Amino acid sequence: QVQLVESGGGLVQPGGSLRLSCAASGRIFRVNAMGWYRQAPGKERELVATITSGGSTNYADSVKGRFTISRDNAKNTVYLQMNSLKPEDTAVYYCNADYRSLVTGARNNYWGQGTQVTVSS
C-alpha cells in the first residue's frame, strides 16, 4: 500500500503565507514527479505546481512568483510554500505522486486526501 499524507492547510488572511507538506510512504521503490493540484468549489481540479526527482519545476501562471514547490527526496516529501495568498487561492489542495512500485516495479500515480486552504479576512 502507498500513502500520501498531507498537512499544513488552514485559514489565513489575504497576503498571508502557508506551507503545505506531503509525505509519501509505503511500498515505493522510487518516487518520480510530485505535485500539487487544487480544486475550488464548482471548479475542476487544476495544476498548481510540479517538481521532478531532479528538481525541475513547473507552475501555473496564477501562482508564479508567489508559490514555491520543493522536495526532500530522502524523505519522499514535497512542500508547497504559498506566499501573498489571495482569496482566489481558496481550494482543497491535493498532493500527487508518480512512483514505481516496490512490489511490481510498475509505474503508478497516487493522490492524497486533500487539505483545505481558505484565504479570507
Side-chain angles (χ1 to χ4, degrees):
Q1 296 290 349
V2 173
Q3 283 189 313
L4 292 179
V5 179
E6 300 152 336
S7 61
L11 173 65
V12 64
Q13 292 186 342
S17 298
L18 282 175
R19 188 190 193 212
L20 306 182
S21 299
C22 172
S25 63
R27 298 181 177 183
I28 298 172
F29 174 70
R30 181 178 63 244
V31 179
N32 300 313
M34 300 186 79
W36 290 95
Y37 294 73
R38 66 186 181 187
Q39 187 167 18
K43 295 187 177 182
E44 293 187 353
R45 191 172 298 187
E46 63 177 6
L47 178 146
V48 176
T50 61
I51 185 167
T52 67
S53 57
S56 296
T57 59
N58 180 50
Y59 294 93
D61 288 342
S62 59
V63 307
K64 283 180 181 177
R66 300 188 298 122
F67 291 10
T68 302
I69 190 169
S70 61
R71 65 188 285 171
D72 184 335
N73 288 334
K75 297 180 180 180
N76 284 339
T77 299
V78 64
Y79 306 96
L80 186 68
Q81 177 66 43
M82 303 185 293
N83 299 327
S84 301
L85 282 160
K86 305 175 181 179
E88 51 264 43
D89 294 318
T90 296
V92 177
Y93 284 69
Y94 295 92
C95 175
N96 179 269
D98 182 272
Y99 70 95
R100 194 167 293 280
S101 169
L102 182 63
V103 177
T104 66
R107 188 173 176 178
N108 293 292
N109 189 274
Y110 202 78
W111 291 92
Q113 79 285 357
T115 184
Q116 177 70 47
V117 171
T118 302
V119 184
S120 175
S121 55

